[in-house]
Amino acid sequence: MIRLSILLLFVLAVIAEWQEGSFDPPRGVGTSGGAAAPAAVVAGARRLRFGSKSGEFKILQVADMHYADGKETGCLDVFPDQLSTCSDLNTTAFIYRVIRHENPDFIVFTGDNIFGLDSKDAAKSLNAAFEPAVALKLPWAAVIGNHDQEGTLSREGVMQHIVGMDHTLSQLNPTGIEIDGFGNYNLEVRGAEGSALANKSVLNLYFLDSGDYSTVPAIPGYGWIKPSQQVWFQKTSSRLQEEYMRGALQQKDPAPGLVYFHIPLPEFSYFDASNFTGVKQEGISSASINSGFFATLVETGDAKAVFTGHDHLNDFCGKLIGIQLCYAGGFGYHAYGKAGWSRRARVVSASLEKTLNGEWGGVKSIKTWKCLDDEHLSTIDTQVLWIKGSTGRHLPSSLFIVIYVNELW
């Protein structure tokens, strides 16, 4: 039995803000659309890796495609003169455009990949939604949102279908443990080939199922990340930190972690225009209770940024207690949006530092920007999310936080 209760109410005082301090064809993608597996994946090992020449690892986040039945599915919230020619195919075209423009090493789809209610066949819709990543043979991963399972596949069925697709690194769940939801897993990004950290994960990626809707009658609204998922996250983070900091070639600080799921945490509501980069054009549609996952993220210590979707008209990043909370902004054309406000994707780029002997070391910095589906694929809101050695403990002024945790009986 789980009883949700308020365990702690505390006031966070204002503290000093710490200062932090042309088109390229995509790797492995030819002009004909044919592709070899990118260098970011070690052949046969399904491992992600930083580039040995660039010392960079670039992630493309695609949120809320809301794909349904291709050219038969119309667009929402576009100008009237666009309606007759706009469909899911515009979403597909945008994915191809942004891949060729940004040249990512890895793609993350953060839920509501399909809009189940409007899909005649969920499996076909999933295949069409992820087709660009599969066709270009790019490594990719996905989590599910609150609309993926509303069609002909159950929530588990959707994730099982995703896991079975080509070139995906998605996983159904960790083996050997009982855990809520489907699509809780982690991926490790190894250091550059030939470097001392070539066989260590220098960047850790976490993926969680944030649920769809509350299953507790007394609690309305959306789902949330459950205690079993938080325990798994804590144990996984602890293991990865142990391996990085205390094993062979031990490091002084944990490797940074990035966390991906669909529904934003309640803490996303603690920002206003004075302390975020981007826009907030609608409310924060989080769960109506706080399960304490943000406190878990702070406690584990390695997570530097969280990336979500769900609220299509929000695309901001704001820092809270050293963790960046970021929206991607709506991507799909069969998803609600705003006419004249371009659909968009978020890009994250992690860069390695150079050691004293001139070889690549661990991650030095992580930055982000957004790419718009306009005439020029405009880049906006470039910002540094994290720099090695910075505490980043910036809090919004006069912030009151109520943390709810779960008591297990």
Side-chain angles (χ1 to χ4, degrees), residues 35 89 183 236 241 320 355 383 387:
L89 299 186
T236 304
Q241 291 187 49
L320 180 66
T355 62
Q383 66 183 115
I387 296 177

Side-chain angles (χ1 to χ4, degrees), residues 71-240:
K71 64 181 180 180
E72 300 177 23
T73 303
C75 298
L76 302 179
D77 297 321
V78 295
F79 290 120
D81 61 354
Q82 297 174 293
L83 286 172
S84 62
T85 58
C86 189
S87 72
D88 277 337
L89 299 186
N90 291 65
T91 302
T92 299
F94 182 24
I95 298 179
Y96 275 112
R97 287 186 79 207
V98 73
I99 287 173
R100 289 189 164 93
H101 183 262
E102 291 291 350
N103 192 16
D105 295 292
F106 180 55
I107 306 175
V108 179
F109 298 91
T110 50
D112 284 1
N113 308 294
I114 64 171
F115 193 74
L117 288 173
D118 290 346
S119 167
K120 296 175 183 175
D121 184 322
K124 289 183 179 179
S125 295
L126 288 165
N127 290 342
F130 298 124
E131 183 268 341
V134 173
L136 297 177
K137 300 183 181 178
L138 286 166
W140 61 278
V143 293
I144 49 180
N146 54 293
H147 290 305
D148 293 278
Q149 80 294 337
E150 294 175 337
T152 58
L153 287 175
S154 67
R155 196 165 183 81
E156 182 177 6
V158 168
M159 199 65 210
Q160 285 180 329
H161 185 87
I162 290 171
V163 169
M165 294 182 70
D166 289 340
H167 306 294
T168 188
L169 302 182
S170 307
Q171 299 169 34
L172 183 63
N173 267 333
T175 58
I177 66 169
E178 297 229 355
I179 190 168
D180 287 277
F182 303 99
N184 302 286
Y185 56 102
N186 70 288
L187 296 172
E188 302 177 9
V189 186
R190 303 298 175 99
E193 189 71 51
S195 72
L197 297 176
N199 294 318
K200 278 202 169 192
S201 178
V202 299
L203 179 68
N204 296 312
L205 308 178
Y206 302 94
F207 306 87
L208 295 104
D209 180 1
S210 54
D212 49 9
Y213 303 97
S214 171
T215 57
V216 181
I219 303 173
Y222 293 107
W224 56 88
I225 295 173
K226 305 293 177 54
S228 63
Q229 297 168 279
Q230 298 189 46
V231 170
W232 165 79
F233 178 84
Q234 288 174 312
K235 290 182 177 179
T236 304
S237 171
S238 178
R239 174 180 60 79
L240 291 169

